[in-house]
Amino acid sequence: MNAEALLAAYTHGPGRVVEPGTSPRTAAATGPRVPLTALSGRFGAALARLLTEVATPLRWEPWNQYNDHRAYPSARAASTVDLVVEGRWLLDPVRRALVGDGTPVVDGPVRVELVRRRDRLSPGYREFGDVLTELEVGHVAAALVEHAARLGLGARVSGLTVTVTFDGVTDPAPVPLRSSGVGPRGVAADPRPLPAGVLHAVVEAIGHPPSGSPVRDDLRHRLAVRNVEGVVDGWYAVDGGLRLVSAGPAVAALQPVFGHPPGTIHVASMNLALVTTGDPAAAVASDGPDGYRALLRAAGATAQHVCTAAAGSGAFCRPARSTDDGPLEAMAGAPASHALLYLLLVGRPRGTGFTYDLTPLETP
């Protein structure tokens, strides 16, 4: 897809319209399979665990319409990113195996290529499907960086390649349960004040991402804050800290620009809403045709780190993709050249038992 067509996805016109349609079924890759457990040595075992924790389904929820849950959010659980090890072995995430001839010898830095699979989303998404795919690439890349650090590995992202190195043995920290935010009447936040620690964790995740994660300094972040202990409601800039821009009921004003009714997602009840914008034309002008894609991937990576920080603080974090972009950009005070890249909703869950238990599973 050329740069001009991708840019059209965030103009306020056809690119943001999703037509009815079902997600297509895509066949599993064919060829010989090598179980991840066949990777030898300490590096091989750690790499196998990394791929398992990040890219394979770790929970299925029969009550959820999209019930395949991995370490990162995916639109309609379509999983629009494939992982290819050393350019030869495609990860089969469901079977936890590598598809390809021979067994990888893991004795040095390993390249993991992130391959876009836009075809797993309905054609009804049109250009917006490409945007969602790029955001997911950012999520996957950032998840690899996060989990690598837990496992004594190093991971550094460059474009669509994640290079994994063995930095030593470590005792992995536990993976926090990630809440779905689902309550008795759709997704809504607990009405009690949100502990300020959740806000601080989110700000820290935005300002100080893990080393190796894809970052850009041309992303603009604005936080709408509501009902946080000791913090004034309003819009805040996140630029090396937290700075109040305007006081007032910022979060409640977002409900009318969201595409789903309150019974599905009650936006006005949320405690935090992170609005990330950027200038697609400037990104293309400075970095070439891939500039806008890189902007989206960086926004997806930031969102992954925010989701992880929220989970570690006992909160949920939900990407919100159905919005009326123009009014939302105006509320966040975005420059005229900026377009909405991502909206995240954060709150403390109202119900219990609706968590994504993403504790790494042992493979037999």
Side-chain angles (χ1 to χ4, degrees):
M1 186 180 189
N2 62 35
E4 290 76 14
L6 187 60
L7 282 172
Y10 267 106
T11 57
H12 310 306
R16 286 286 284 164
V17 175
V18 178
E19 299 169 342
T22 58
S23 297
R25 294 181 179 273
T26 54
T30 59
R33 281 173 166 75
V34 178
L36 287 175
T37 51
L39 298 181
S40 61
R42 292 187 300 173
F43 189 5
L47 178 65
R49 184 166 181 177
L50 174 66
L51 297 176
T52 299
E53 290 185 11
V54 170
T56 71
L58 298 178
R59 178 180 171 92
W60 285 270
E61 293 182 343
W63 51 268
N64 195 317
Q65 182 181 8
Y66 305 110
N67 62 9
D68 174 352
H69 296 293
R70 310 187 186 202
Y72 58 89
S74 175
R76 293 182 175 262
S79 300
T80 59
V81 180
D82 277 344
L83 275 65
V84 178
V85 176
E86 286 296 311
R88 293 180 53 189
W89 292 278
L90 171 67
L91 175 66
D92 182 336
V94 175
R95 297 167 183 82
R96 295 184 177 177
L98 296 176
V99 182
D101 294 321
T103 302
V105 177
V106 182
D107 57 2
V110 172
R111 291 179 297 105
V112 179
E113 307 292 340
L114 307 181
V115 180
R116 309 178 185 100
R117 292 299 305 270
R118 161 64 179 84
D119 56 305
R120 291 185 180 138
L121 281 172
S122 164
Y125 278 87
R126 293 190 285 183
E127 293 92 343
F128 190 44
D130 295 83
V131 169
L132 293 174
T133 300
E134 295 297 338
L135 290 170
E136 188 167 324
V137 170
H139 273 284
V140 176
L144 286 168
V145 171
E146 289 179 348
H147 285 264
R150 293 180 49 254
L151 298 172
L153 300 171
R156 182 164 295 278
V157 181
S158 177
L160 296 173
T161 301
V162 182
T163 302
V164 182
T165 56
F166 187 57
D167 290 351
V169 179
T170 187
D171 184 17
V175 176
L177 292 180
R178 194 173 75 204
S179 171
S180 62
V182 172
R185 297 180 180 176
V187 177
D190 189 312
R192 294 173 296 174
L194 185 74
V198 179
L199 172 61
H200 298 322
V202 167
V203 172
E204 177 69 15
I206 297 169
H208 299 90
S211 176
S213 188
V215 296
R216 291 181 67 98
D217 59 10
D218 51 354
L219 294 178
R220 182 179 186 271
H221 304 289
R222 289 294 182 270
L223 261 177
V225 176
R226 187 193 73 84
N227 198 23
V228 176
E229 292 177 347
V231 180
V232 174
D233 288 1
W235 282 103
Y236 287 79
V238 186
D239 46 13
L242 194 65
R243 174 172 54 86
L244 179 64
V245 176
S246 62
V251 174
L254 299 179
Q255 186 74 61
V257 303
F258 189 65
H260 294 291
T264 301
I265 299 183
H266 197 275
V267 175
S269 75
M270 301 298 168
N271 299 105
L272 306 175
L274 177 63
V275 179
T276 298
T277 64
D279 188 335
V284 171
S286 64
D287 301 328
D290 195 50
Y292 184 35
R293 293 184 183 275
L295 196 68
L296 289 164
R297 293 195 293 265
T302 298
Q304 178 66 24
H305 298 319
V306 169
C307 287
T308 300
S313 304
F316 65 83
C317 180
R318 295 291 293 252
R321 304 176 179 93
S322 178
T323 59
D324 190 351
D325 293 7
L328 179 54
E329 293 161 9
M331 289 179 191
S337 62
H338 276 221
L340 175 69
L341 301 178
Y342 225 166
L343 170 62
L344 299 178
L345 304 174
V346 178
R348 186 165 53 186
R350 297 175 69 105
T352 59
F354 293 101
T355 53
Y356 302 152
D357 185 353
L358 299 184
T359 302
L361 302 178
E362 299 298 328
T363 56

